[in-house]
Amino acid sequence: MTIAGSGSRAERIAALAFDYDAQPKTSVSRCNLCGGSGFVGLTHRDRYGFPAPAVCCSGCGLIVLDPVMTPAAYGRFYSGIYRPLVSAYHGRLIDARTIQDEQRAYAVERGDLLEPLIAGRGYKTLLDIGGSTGVVAHAFASRFNIRGTVVDPAPLETVEAQALGLETIEGLIENVALGDRRFDVVMLCQTIDHLLDVSGTLRRVRELLTDGGLLFVDIVDVRAAYLRNWSIEEAIKIDHPYYLTEATVTAYLRRTGFDVVRADYAADHLHVSYIARPSQPDAAALPSRESVRELLREVRFVQNAPRP
Ligand SMILES: [Zn+2]
């Protein structure tokens, strides 16, 4: 792959010759969270400089890319361009090998968070959706003595997971066939922002979880992402179709049948983790109108006020 490190960030990204314009895309007509059809355009370019507009649902405050690449285009993106692109952006090599140290540290930290909720429950199976190289699933499987399964669309990463003795299924969770299998723990680690259908996936996760099971999911809090850089564009990237906030992810979980039993701000001040148990879906759960107005006000302020 191209070793990022020479030239400016823009030159390194240009050297990958990824033609975002030419990728097949679909436009967003309905909000994936509330079903509304009113949107506010927020940005027109992403952090890489690609023409990838992001919009905010005026009904619930969900921020998404619109238009968004098709599942087939994202499939190709993850098998070839994703890690080189992130490497070019950061100016250092990030691949299926180099990310493992970071993933090991993450597994220890998140494992400490989950331990009191997993220990002694007799859980036997774990599904890691978007589980990448399997480092996190493997650490959890060893620590909690459960069998681990990884679903991930990137073959270079699932091959690493296989080497750790995990069951691997290559593909996007939206497409893979798991039949009537059930899992005691389902994890979406740094994955939900990459999904193409968050509602559909969370409903599917609800079906995949055993009755007393546990869901772990973490988000990049888009508010944290734009406030730290004082730029909305810097928070937008084609790898993330979704940009969640505490208000929108909580509504998603309640609507798809989960009760949050624990939330945790990660040490990086960017990710927020949620541990949830199955409950009755609350189809009416949505962020308040006031929270949507506040979000849009804050976005405008970041776009127009000098960086503090
Ligand atoms: Zn909405």
Side-chain angles (χ1 to χ4, degrees):
M1 65 176 277
T2 306
I3 303 294
S6 56
S8 68
R9 173 177 283 169
E11 285 165 349
R12 295 191 303 264
I13 292 171
L16 298 172
F18 178 62
D19 189 350
Y20 183 71
D21 257 341
Q23 301 305 310
K25 300 179 192 78
T26 50
S27 60
V28 176
S29 52
R30 290 271 162 197
C31 173
N32 185 263
L33 174 55
C34 75
S37 56
F39 296 95
V40 181
L42 302 185
T43 56
H44 301 271
R45 297 217 158 244
D46 75 349
R47 72 177 194 178
Y48 308 117
F50 294 128
V55 301
C56 179
C57 172
S58 50
C60 72
L62 179 69
I63 299 173
V64 295
L65 292 184
D66 178 28
V68 62
M69 285 194 286
T70 61
Y74 267 111
R76 288 191 297 275
F77 177 75
Y78 285 115
S79 22
I81 195 73
Y82 169 53
R83 296 289 183 199
L85 177 60
V86 175
S87 301
Y89 179 81
H90 290 291
R92 61 189 163 85
L93 177 64
I94 297 166
D95 68 9
R97 299 259 167 194
T98 66
I99 55 176
Q100 294 189 28
D101 280 344
E102 196 186 308
Q103 291 177 339
R104 269 186 282 273
Y106 176 93
V108 171
E109 191 196 323
R110 298 296 88 179
D112 290 344
L113 178 68
L114 277 158
E115 172 136 27
L117 294 151
I118 290 185
R121 286 212 159 230
Y123 289 157
K124 298 203 163 32
T125 51
L126 173 147
L127 174 66
D128 191 348
I129 297 170
S132 178
T133 61
V135 165
V136 177
H138 180 251
F140 277 50
S142 310
R143 180 167 179 171
F144 302 118
N145 192 28
I146 47 185
R147 278 195 312 281
T149 302
V150 167
V151 173
D152 196 276
L156 287 176
E157 308 203 3
T158 52
V159 86
E160 302 278 329
Q162 266 165 29
L164 291 173
L166 296 159
E167 178 190 19
T168 63
I169 303 170
E170 196 184 307
L172 296 167
I173 189 65
E174 291 92 335
N175 303 327
V176 299
L178 286 162
D180 57 2
R181 290 179 68 179
R182 295 286 178 274
F183 299 86
D184 295 315
V185 180
V186 176
M187 304 177 66
L188 283 159
C189 300
Q190 303 188 0
T191 291
I192 193 169
D193 335 89
H194 293 263
L195 295 174
L196 297 177
D197 174 4
V198 170
S199 280
T201 299
L202 288 177
R203 279 196 297 269
R204 181 71 183 119
V205 166
R206 180 72 170 72
E207 294 169 355
L208 288 166
L209 257 191
T210 52
D211 290 343
L214 205 64
L215 166 66
F216 172 88
V217 56
D218 60 356
I219 64 165
V220 171
D221 177 3
V222 67
R223 295 184 56 227
Y226 64 65
L227 288 170
R228 62 167 44 187
N229 293 305
W230 207 251
S231 161
I232 314 299
E233 283 80 359
E234 275 298 303
I236 303 298
K237 45 184 176 177
I238 55 171
D239 16 331
H240 284 183
Y242 288 87
Y243 301 84
L244 297 167
T245 61
E246 294 183 76
T248 51
V249 74
T250 305
Y252 261 127
L253 291 169
R254 290 179 55 204
R255 287 168 78 89
T256 53
F258 294 99
D259 266 346
V260 174
V261 292
R262 178 105 191 207
D264 184 71
Y265 297 122
D268 64 9
H269 298 177
L270 180 64
H271 291 85
V272 187
S273 300
Y274 297 87
I275 302 169
R277 293 198 187 281
S279 68
Q280 279 302 106
D282 175 1
L286 278 179
S288 70
R289 288 274 168 182
E290 182 50 32
S291 77
V292 179
R293 279 192 292 273
E294 265 175 33
L295 176 70
L296 286 168
R297 256 198 306 269
E298 185 173 73
V299 165
R300 279 312 264 165
F301 190 69
V302 169
Q303 283 171 328
N304 292 294
R307 187 185 183 121

